[in-house]
Amino acid sequence: MTATTASPRTPLWWARTGVRAWTCAPVPRDVRAFHAALPGYAPTPLTELPFLAAELGVGRVFVKDESSRLGLPAFKALGAFWAVHRVLAERARSGQETGPVTLVTATDGNHGRALARAARLRGQHAHVLVPEGVHPRAVEAIVAEQARVTEVPGPYDEAVRRAARAATAPDTVLVQDTAWPGYEQVPAWIVEGYTTLCAEIDEQLTAEGIAGPDLVAVPVGVGSLAQAVVTHYRGSATDSSPALLSVEPDSAACVLESLAAGKPVTVTTGGTSMAGLNCGTPSSLAWPSLHGGLDAAVAVSDAESARAANRLATLGVPSGPCGAAALAGVRTALTCAGGEERRRALGLGDRSVVVLLSTEGPAANPYAEAAADR
């Protein structure tokens, strides 16, 4: 395996071989059925972009467009809605009072808004803590979902710590999308919720006559979505075994640095337009799956993400900085100096099928508008 230092010519990169033999337990089957029964549910588009395929030197490129998911501009609703459903069901099953509770979380934006929406629709309360650097309009969108918002003078990890403390109050439940020892059940439900996205991709590729992707590129914060992707494609009930590439901001590459170290590490984060990926510590629940199932990891700059978002927009796919990170990461891996070696590490050829997870639309992250104006 290799890790290199970031520079304009040599990207921050990690890779290894032999990972596709790693397997894990499959996803519960009732997750997709739950989402399919929700009002307003529809699979999000899987858009083919031949121009990108030509630019990247592969056979076909598809973008999973999460700019509108259950009425919200990001994929996070899949995890939040399923987790709230499971939390309330478990409370009812255990005989706890069925009156409204307060669902507490920390967020860089999208998860908090999704949780606030789920709480409102289920007649519950929400308390959302946001760290420094979250755009005021993202905060306003959470408030508009009737949530109480507390702004934390510190980074994301500090907001998570404060959310955990706030959730010790009576009639509160922590619904956090990152895990740590002793807090893993709810994050596991959130990860299960995200796998509906992958199930849709399978069906959509099958409709195109494609057995499965050769590479899936996924933006990464604490790693929960990447865990869902790994679980889906490395699950014992799944035949397809593509290469899996994680993409992070170069100012918050906690998963890449952890993979290079062979153990979870915490990194000091900096400011980034990829606000939803600005996380310094991998989820403890996600880590075994990331360590076992990811083929490679790459970090990208804000400028690279902005260029990718602009390119996607010209091709008709609305994407915010976090969502566009997937394209930025694949571009960096395949087209920067040393790209041929990285292409071989990913097992890609001129007929390969690449799927990019565009996890948010521009409306999910007001920084996207500023980037587009540059």
Side-chain angles (χ1 to χ4, degrees):
M1 62 184 66
T2 61
T4 61
T5 303
S7 76
R9 293 185 175 273
T10 305
L12 186 63
W13 165 263
W14 173 94
R16 62 177 170 184
T17 59
V19 68
R20 297 181 211 183
W22 187 85
T23 60
C24 58
V27 180
R29 294 183 178 180
D30 53 348
V31 179
R32 177 67 188 286
F34 165 79
H35 287 131
L38 291 174
Y41 168 80
T44 54
L46 185 70
T47 304
E48 183 169 11
L49 299 177
F51 287 109
L52 281 187
E55 291 172 12
L56 297 172
V58 297
R60 303 177 77 173
V61 171
F62 294 85
V63 178
K64 185 63 168 166
D65 176 5
E66 292 291 312
S67 61
S68 180
R69 171 66 78 173
L70 291 166
L72 293 171
F75 77 101
K76 290 283 188 175
L78 291 171
F81 281 37
W82 174 248
V84 169
H85 166 71
R86 291 302 307 270
V87 164
L88 298 180
E90 289 300 314
R91 286 178 63 85
R93 187 175 296 113
S94 64
Q96 293 175 289
E97 293 186 15
T98 57
V101 297
T102 298
L103 305 175
V104 182
T105 197
T107 187
D108 280 321
N110 292 329
H111 170 68
R113 185 177 180 186
L115 180 68
R117 172 72 61 87
R120 178 169 62 81
L121 292 176
R122 295 296 298 267
Q124 310 298 313
H125 306 300
H127 180 195
V128 179
L129 291 85
V130 299
E132 289 179 339
V134 175
H135 197 284
R137 281 172 50 194
V139 176
E140 291 168 5
I142 299 170
V143 172
E145 299 291 347
Q146 301 176 18
R148 172 190 168 197
V149 174
T150 298
E151 298 189 50
V152 174
Y156 174 80
D157 287 1
E158 177 61 21
V160 170
R161 285 189 286 269
R162 295 196 184 197
R165 289 199 296 269
T168 61
D171 299 319
T172 63
V173 180
L174 184 66
V175 186
Q176 192 61 57
D177 57 347
T178 188
W180 52 86
Y183 181 74
E184 295 181 328
Q185 180 59 81
V186 173
W189 288 332
I190 291 173
V191 169
E192 289 176 357
Y194 294 159
T195 61
T196 288
L197 183 156
C198 299
E200 292 175 359
I201 290 172
D202 286 350
E203 295 166 0
Q204 290 165 320
L205 288 179
T206 297
E208 294 283 338
I210 300 171
D214 297 297
L215 171 68
V216 178
V218 52
V220 169
V222 299
S224 295
L225 176 59
Q227 180 190 356
V229 173
V230 170
T231 300
H232 179 81
Y233 288 108
R234 308 292 191 234
S236 57
T238 304
D239 293 331
S240 177
S241 187
L244 303 178
L245 172 69
S246 69
V247 186
E248 298 169 277
D250 55 14
S251 59
C254 66
V255 169
L256 189 153
E257 295 291 353
S258 296
L259 290 168
K263 61 182 181 180
V265 300
T266 296
V267 302
T268 300
T269 60
T272 174
S273 62
M274 293 171 274
L277 310 182
N278 194 19
C279 305
T281 306
S283 166
S284 67
L285 181 69
W287 171 249
S289 295
L290 306 181
H291 184 250
L294 285 175
D295 293 80
V298 67
V300 299
S301 68
D302 282 5
E304 289 167 332
S305 173
R307 285 194 294 270
N310 288 336
R311 181 62 174 137
L312 289 170
T314 65
L315 297 173
V317 177
S319 185
C322 296
L327 171 57
V330 173
R331 267 181 169 176
T332 297
L334 301 187
T335 66
C336 286
E340 286 305 316
E341 180 181 350
R342 291 188 289 273
R343 191 180 297 267
R344 287 192 295 271
L346 296 170
L348 298 181
D350 59 7
R351 296 185 179 181
S352 297
V353 175
V354 173
V355 172
L356 310 173
L357 304 189
S358 178
T359 51
E360 65 174 17
N365 185 345
Y367 285 110
E369 296 177 2
D373 290 340
R374 287 201 291 268

